[in-house]
């Protein structure tokens, strides 16, 4: 049994679906179901006895204590977080509560559980913390990509809160000996991505005939990885990562935002042409830049490739085509997310309680 937090969100849900499709081992999925948590993402495993869903907050120590004692997981993988940079700028409080205080409380619950384990159960236990490359700050065009040796220089409330959580995880290893692993991944894209983030927002807005907002000059660079490749990296680090180590995860795919937007427009032109015969790129609209906007992120993933033999399965061309096609094939998922109807799924599908 493994315990996953945040498994109704974008990456967590992809991880749970991937896990249940490829492994026999059951998963307890603990998610608070914030606006970003969507149990409809897990519809295909509803009724699968290997998937236990619990609506709970990682910061609720009493509930986490009960869940750990009851399910006796051999590993905890912490995806739960507030994840959107723009939201963190407009309202940082939730980011501090979940990403910092929540991670702290989760670490304490896990430490209590782990300290009572014995023998192999204790030595084999792992706490894997899922983090981001944004903790390293911003790069100039000529800087080398981030390695695990880079200093932490977070610039947004989001990245600062994630950096704080990474430091807590590190300290719980050094001080208490908790067997931890941390992954720092670049920007993900793929199915189930909430349409507040660049790629799904562009797809959804394009199809709705709305403007495609590009911040500033659109020349900011992100390093994109298909979400299922992030999931395979996490599985590999869980399996073979060195205790206390951090692993950068990325697919060597740096692109300027404006190029990403144009690529998505070109795919939509091919797969779902506009009725008026014009291109979707006509909808591109330059808007005011994000305050404190990091100029460039880039991941050097050589440690993970060399030490653990991980490689991504998708190129950007194959991954972005699959992604655009997924959104075209799932208009109801998009409509439910946009109308808020996805939130009714909890009542319909699950008795959402920790007890
Ligand atoms: P997301 O916002 O789509 O999902 C987050 C999930 O966590 C949601 O289901 C939400 O309900 C849940 N959650 C939030 N607060 C919680 C709490 N207090 N207790 C329990 N559950 C809670 O985010 P995502 O994009 O899937 O990111 C998952 C993790 O991966 C985050 O830790 C994020 O920092 C990290 N990450 C994301 C990216 C990316 O590109 N999206 C890249 C690198 C790392
Ligand atoms: P985002 O998906 O929010 O991820 P992050 O900020 O964590 O990298 O944004 C990706 C890039 O796209 C980032 O440089 C901000 C930019 N962006 C836009 O230009 N327009 C948008 O509407 C959004 C949401 C993002």
């Amino acid at each position: 049994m493994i315990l996953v937090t945040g498994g109704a969100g974008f990456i967590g849900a992809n991880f749970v679906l991937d896990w249940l499709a490829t492994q026999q081992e059951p998963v307890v999925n603990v998610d608070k179901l914030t606006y970003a948590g969507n149990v409809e993402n897990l519809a295909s495993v509803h009724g699968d006895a290997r998937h236990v869903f619990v609506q709970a907050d990682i910061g609720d120590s009493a509930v986490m204590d009960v869940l750990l004692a009851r399910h006796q997981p051999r590993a905890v993988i912490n995806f739960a977080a507030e994840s959107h940079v723009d939201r963190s700028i407009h309202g940082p409080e939730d980011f501090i509560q979940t990403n910092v205080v929540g991670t702290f409380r989760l670490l304490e619950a896990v430490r209590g559980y782990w300290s009572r384990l014995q023998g192999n159960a204790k030595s084999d236990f792992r706490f894997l913390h899922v983090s981001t490359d944004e903790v390293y700050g911003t790069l100039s065009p000529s800087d080398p990509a981030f390695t695990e040796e880079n200093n932490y220089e977070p610039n947004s409330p989001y990245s600062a809160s994630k950096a704080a959580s990474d430091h807590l995880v590190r300290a719980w290893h050094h001080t208490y000996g908790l067997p931890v692993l941390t992954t720092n991944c670049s920007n993900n894209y793929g199915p189930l991505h909430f349409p507040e983030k660049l790629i799904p927002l562009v797809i959804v807005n394009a199809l709705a005939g709305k403007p495609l907002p590009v911040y500033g000059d659109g020349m900011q660079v992100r390093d994109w990885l298909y979400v299922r490749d992030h999931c395979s990296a996490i599985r590999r680090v869980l399996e073979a990562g060195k205790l206390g180590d951090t692993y950068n995860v990325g697919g060597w795919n740096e692109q300027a935002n404006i190029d990403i937007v144009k690529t998505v427009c070109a795919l939509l032109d091919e797969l779902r042409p506009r009725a008026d015969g014009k291109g979707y790129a006509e909808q591109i609209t330059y808007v005011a830049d994000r305050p404190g906007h990091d100029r460039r992120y880039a991941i050097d993933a050589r440690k993970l490739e060399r030490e653990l033999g991980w490689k991504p399965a998708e190129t950007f061309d194959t991954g972005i085509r699959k992604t655009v096609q997924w959104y075209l094939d799932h208009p109801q998922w998009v409509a439910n997310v946009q109308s808020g109807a996805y939130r009714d799924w909890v009542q319909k599908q699950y008795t959402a309680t920790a007890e």
Side-chain angles (χ1 to χ4, degrees):
M1 174 74 86
I2 62 166
L3 188 150
V4 164
T5 71
F10 164 49
I11 304 173
N14 274 286
F15 182 87
V16 168
L17 296 178
D18 226 13
W19 182 276
L20 292 173
T22 56
Q23 331 272 315
Q24 288 310 312
E25 194 175 10
V27 180
V28 186
N29 185 349
V30 182
D31 195 296
K32 184 179 176 181
L33 297 180
T34 67
Y35 80 93
N38 180 355
V39 258
E40 195 177 342
N41 293 344
L42 302 162
S44 65
V45 293
H46 179 61
D48 186 328
R50 295 171 307 149
H51 180 237
V52 180
F53 181 81
V54 182
Q55 184 178 10
D57 187 328
I58 57 165
D60 188 336
S61 309
V63 170
M64 294 313 300
D65 286 345
V66 168
L67 290 174
L68 289 162
R70 178 180 300 162
H71 295 289
Q72 298 282 308
R74 69 166 176 97
V76 171
I77 306 176
N78 185 31
F79 292 94
E82 289 293 336
S83 68
H84 188 37
V85 174
D86 292 313
R87 282 181 190 258
S88 83
I89 293 167
H90 297 294
E93 174 79 29
D94 288 347
F95 290 72
I96 304 305
Q97 285 308 329
T98 284
N99 301 1
V100 186
V101 179
T103 303
F104 155 68
R105 296 229 178 98
L106 178 64
L107 280 166
E108 280 294 80
V110 169
R111 182 166 76 92
Y113 164 71
W114 168 76
S115 67
R116 286 187 287 277
L117 293 175
Q118 312 249 315
N120 286 349
K122 186 165 193 176
S123 53
D124 292 348
F125 181 81
R126 298 288 181 270
F127 178 88
L128 191 152
H129 181 61
V130 179
S131 192
T132 165
D133 59 355
E134 304 192 22
V135 298
Y136 296 122
T138 189
L139 295 170
S140 74
S142 57
D143 283 333
F146 301 126
T147 72
E148 291 79 359
E149 309 307 316
N150 274 69
N151 290 332
Y152 272 36
E153 293 176 358
N155 291 319
S156 72
Y158 164 67
S159 56
S161 68
K162 290 296 291 186
S165 69
D166 294 8
H167 288 322
L168 292 172
V169 170
R170 176 190 158 90
W172 260 240
H173 175 66
H174 283 267
T175 304
Y176 305 112
L178 192 69
V180 308
L181 299 155
T182 297
T183 53
N184 294 91
C185 189
S186 60
N187 284 62
N188 285 213
Y189 68 98
L192 309 177
H193 207 179
F194 198 87
E196 63 184 353
K197 308 278 170 62
L198 179 68
I199 289 180
L201 181 88
V202 167
I203 299 170
V204 167
N205 276 14
L207 293 171
K210 293 183 181 164
L212 311 180
V214 173
Y215 298 166
D217 64 2
M219 292 306 291
Q220 305 84 1
V221 170
R222 297 292 182 264
D223 191 351
W224 295 93
L225 183 68
Y226 191 67
V227 61
R228 293 286 174 116
D229 284 326
H230 186 189
C231 296
S232 75
I234 290 170
R235 286 203 304 274
R236 186 69 195 126
V237 172
L238 182 65
E239 205 170 61
K242 187 163 161 277
L243 287 188
D245 266 20
T246 67
Y247 293 88
N248 282 358
V249 186
W252 305 96
N253 181 56
E254 287 183 58
Q255 299 216 34
N257 291 340
I258 187 64
D259 294 333
I260 292 287
V261 174
K262 286 182 176 165
T263 298
V264 169
C265 288
L267 278 166
L268 287 171
D269 288 340
E270 175 195 328
L271 299 169
R272 182 71 56 83
R274 264 172 54 157
D276 63 5
K278 294 184 178 161
Y280 286 99
E282 296 224 345
Q283 291 164 233
I284 292 174
T285 308
Y286 287 90
V287 299
D289 207 353
R290 170 190 280 171
H293 200 168
D294 283 339
R295 197 67 184 164
R296 173 177 168 239
Y297 303 139
I299 277 282
D300 182 332
R302 275 178 295 187
K303 176 179 174 184
L304 181 57
E305 293 167 1
R306 191 181 57 241
E307 293 186 10
L308 303 186
W310 174 84
K311 281 259 184 299
E314 301 289 343
T315 63
F316 187 69
D317 285 352
T318 59
I320 193 68
R321 183 172 282 275
K322 277 187 185 177
T323 304
V324 171
Q325 191 64 56
W326 187 88
Y327 281 86
L328 289 173
D329 293 342
H330 294 83
Q332 197 56 50
W333 183 92
V334 172
N336 288 349
V337 165
Q338 288 181 320
S339 70
Y342 69 105
R343 315 200 85 170
D344 301 340
W345 267 77
V346 187
Q347 265 62 40
K348 275 195 290 179
Q349 302 292 338
Y350 293 94
T351 41
T353 160
E355 290 307 312

